[in-house]
Amino acid sequence: MSSKHDLDSEARAILSKNDRGGYTVPTARLYPYQWNWDSAFVALGFATFDVARAWRELELLAEGQWASGMIPHILFRQNDPDYFPGPTTWQTPDAEQGGGRMPTGGISQPPVYASIVRELYEQTGNDNKAQVLFDVAYRFNKWFIAERTAQDMNVIATVHPWETGRDNCPDWDGGLAGMDVDPELEHYTRKDTQHADASQRPSSEQYDKYISIVKYGRDTGWNQRTLTDSGPFLVADPGLHFMLLRANRDLLWLANTLGHSDDVRAEITDWIAAGESGAQELWNTDVQAFCAKDLRSGEFSDGFSNASALCFYAGVGTPEQQDATRLHIERIGKKAQFLLPSWDPDHASFEQQRYWKGPLWPQMNYIVAKGLAESGYNVLAERMRTDLAAVIKRSGFRECFDPMTGDGCIGTDFSWTAALWLAWASDSRYSNPKTKRAF
Ligand code: DGY
């Protein structure tokens, strides 16, 4: 077994190896571009040894921001034949991308950007960087609310499982079952299964539907409101909803600290109020948890996910709802050796090594634990940190981990795992009073 200092150096080496000149790929070959929420979490890792490089990661992510404010899920700075679907499949319009700076995906990803800007600002006190990136985050959050709020509801919904970051979670099964594969779908060849174990990746049936939604978006010229109002898939997502609500709270903190106008602060305050009331639309009384809801059929997803556990991070839920959520986490903690699985091990759809149907995810552990600690559940939060540290020590810097055995899954030398080791889980960081994060 490696010593803790070996792991610190190894984590820094992974970030350097995956650095493509100011931005970081999640891992070589399997994900050879800049991904939205990956990059945001990666900045926290760089901040532990190169603060300027941490800000640079966020600045380069901002280069992909569309004129509309959307930060896309992938920035294609060059065409890499190792990845599908690349820029020739997405065909996003040049005009949207800040004047054709680079091709991108046509959907977004969890909007943690404002929260990471706040963290970097709190660590560095760099007003100039925070002011510039405040505007990026403000326009991004505004875009999310304008384009992904379902009509007549204050709940954030997604048009594509990839936008949630939780690609093949059973939360999307109802929405995917309710849509057809486009009969004119072009022939395509998956690349992910050439770089990773196919049994740990989404199924081909799921991929046909993922690509059908891409085709729909492409055929509308990536008209985001059409995608949300009339696209093949629309599911309200506790993950996106809670991360955006938290991002709006962090944006308001930045607006107050950086001295933004009353109008801007009032606007963000309204977004927060809407997010708080909208959260109640996601409460599933049968499961006693915040769950995804297929807005085309009105049906709830019927399982507890690691996104359900983000209500603490978002600061929502009645005392009874938060208590029920904590009980789910404690029950799961008795069944799984390592918290927190992405899907309930007591549910029939649980698969311990298949991507978002079971594995433990480092970045989700970080934000769930942060919310738990802020709510006073320090023992559970600390277990999530030590469990992440334990699986990294056992299996290395993998993309995600089997929560029953601690085995590593899918990608190797993974950037966000290295980053969250350095920023949060590492023993050396935790045992040093100067760097220990109390959240
Ligand atoms: C992938 O290719 O698996 C990504 O998650 C899509 O963003």
Side-chain angles (χ1 to χ4, degrees):
M1 184 185 289
S2 324
S3 80
K4 59 192 180 184
H5 293 296
D6 286 335
L7 283 174
D8 289 354
S9 327
E10 202 181 321
R12 285 190 287 270
I14 286 171
L15 291 186
S16 300
K17 184 171 84 167
N18 291 341
D19 184 350
R20 295 291 179 272
Y23 76 93
T24 310
V25 299
T27 184
R29 306 212 64 191
L30 181 60
Y31 307 117
Y33 299 107
Q34 186 175 17
W35 258 261
N36 182 334
W37 71 327
D38 289 76
S39 246
F41 285 111
V42 157
L44 295 179
F46 276 117
T48 65
F49 64 98
D50 185 346
V51 167
R53 179 61 185 77
W55 285 113
R56 194 82 193 117
E57 188 79 29
L58 297 186
E59 287 166 347
L60 263 66
L61 186 52
E63 285 182 2
Q65 185 166 35
W66 285 22
S68 64
M70 177 173 89
I71 303 182
H73 80 310
I74 311 177
L75 276 53
F76 300 117
R77 288 174 191 277
Q78 77 293 323
N79 193 4
D80 192 320
D82 256 349
Y83 183 77
F84 174 84
T88 51
T89 305
W90 288 93
Q91 295 174 23
T92 47
D94 285 355
E96 269 287 10
Q97 300 153 29
R101 241 187 325 234
M102 75 190 79
T104 69
I107 53 171
S108 192
Q109 248 191 346
V112 294
Y113 195 90
S115 301
I116 305 297
V117 172
R118 175 182 174 170
E119 285 208 40
L120 289 196
Y121 180 49
E122 284 186 302
Q123 286 174 36
T124 64
N126 189 328
D127 293 283
N128 292 341
K129 297 280 185 204
Q131 282 290 11
V132 172
L133 299 188
F134 174 88
D135 287 335
V136 174
Y138 166 81
R139 295 200 304 117
F140 183 31
N141 290 8
K142 190 173 176 130
W143 174 86
F144 238 107
I145 291 162
E147 303 292 357
R148 293 291 187 259
T149 303
Q151 276 175 341
D152 306 325
M153 293 169 87
N154 278 330
V155 72
I156 302 299
T158 187
V159 299
H160 197 303
W162 285 341
E163 188 164 73
T164 71
R166 302 187 294 124
D167 299 17
N168 68 335
C169 179
D171 273 344
W172 324 129
D173 288 355
L176 291 174
M179 67 169 275
D180 295 320
V181 172
D182 188 317
E184 287 169 24
L185 191 66
E186 65 266 25
H187 172 75
Y188 66 90
T189 306
R190 284 177 69 171
K191 297 289 172 70
D192 60 317
T193 44
Q194 295 173 12
H195 308 308
D197 182 342
S199 69
Q200 297 177 358
R201 292 285 302 171
S203 68
S204 11
E205 192 195 346
Q206 279 167 332
Y207 250 74
D208 281 351
K209 296 204 171 165
Y210 297 160
I211 305 304
S212 294
I213 306 174
V214 173
K215 180 175 181 314
Y216 181 95
R218 197 174 65 203
D219 291 347
T220 70
W222 293 106
N223 181 318
Q224 299 294 333
R225 201 63 238 180
T226 304
L227 256 173
T228 301
D229 292 341
S230 318
F233 180 92
L234 188 69
V235 179
D237 173 19
L240 286 177
H241 191 90
F242 290 154
M243 283 185 256
L244 182 60
L245 178 49
R246 174 58 183 246
N248 283 330
R249 292 191 198 283
D250 292 327
L251 195 67
L252 183 60
W253 182 91
L254 285 165
N256 286 329
T257 311
L258 297 169
H260 280 268
S261 70
D262 288 350
D263 284 354
V264 166
R265 288 186 288 150
E267 186 183 15
I268 303 169
T269 303
D270 286 349
W271 296 346
I272 293 169
E276 285 171 343
S277 75
Q280 289 305 322
E281 308 263 6
L282 297 173
W283 183 254
N284 182 341
T285 46
D286 291 342
V287 178
Q288 286 293 298
F290 292 100
C291 292
K293 191 179 203 177
D294 176 7
L295 297 184
R296 300 280 182 247
S297 69
E299 293 290 319
F300 266 119
S301 167
D302 65 352
F304 186 89
S305 72
N306 51 1
S308 308
L310 285 174
C311 61
F312 303 100
Y313 179 69
V316 289
T318 62
E320 293 75 24
Q321 289 170 333
Q322 291 204 348
D323 216 40
T325 304
R326 176 184 58 81
L327 289 172
H328 277 298
I329 300 173
E330 286 175 357
R331 168 181 58 77
I332 291 169
K334 293 197 180 99
K335 182 121 189 181
Q337 198 182 341
F338 303 101
L339 279 178
L340 178 65
S342 40
W343 191 246
D344 190 339
D346 284 325
H347 191 287
S349 301
F350 176 75
E351 289 183 63
Q352 66 199 65
Q353 296 202 349
R354 199 189 278 271
Y355 214 33
W356 286 89
K357 288 178 182 285
L360 175 169
W361 287 80
Q363 82 289 15
M364 292 296 287
N365 261 37
Y366 175 63
I367 54 178
V368 169
K370 186 171 174 113
L372 284 167
E374 287 166 350
S375 301
Y377 297 120
N378 293 303
V379 172
L380 266 186
E382 177 57 0
R383 168 148 179 214
M384 292 187 54
R385 185 190 73 81
T386 52
D387 283 2
L388 175 60
V391 294
I392 290 172
K393 285 176 201 166
R394 178 190 153 93
S395 304
F397 294 96
R398 301 295 298 269
E399 179 173 359
C400 53
F401 300 88
D402 183 328
M404 311 314 252
T405 63
D407 288 347
C409 304
I410 320 185
T412 54
D413 291 350
F414 217 81
S415 295
W416 65 21
T417 312
L420 289 168
W421 169 265
L422 291 169
W424 179 52
S426 144
D427 297 338
S428 59
R429 185 168 180 80
Y430 203 73
S431 56
N432 178 346
K434 286 202 185 117
T435 55
K436 176 175 171 173
R437 297 166 73 95
F439 289 113

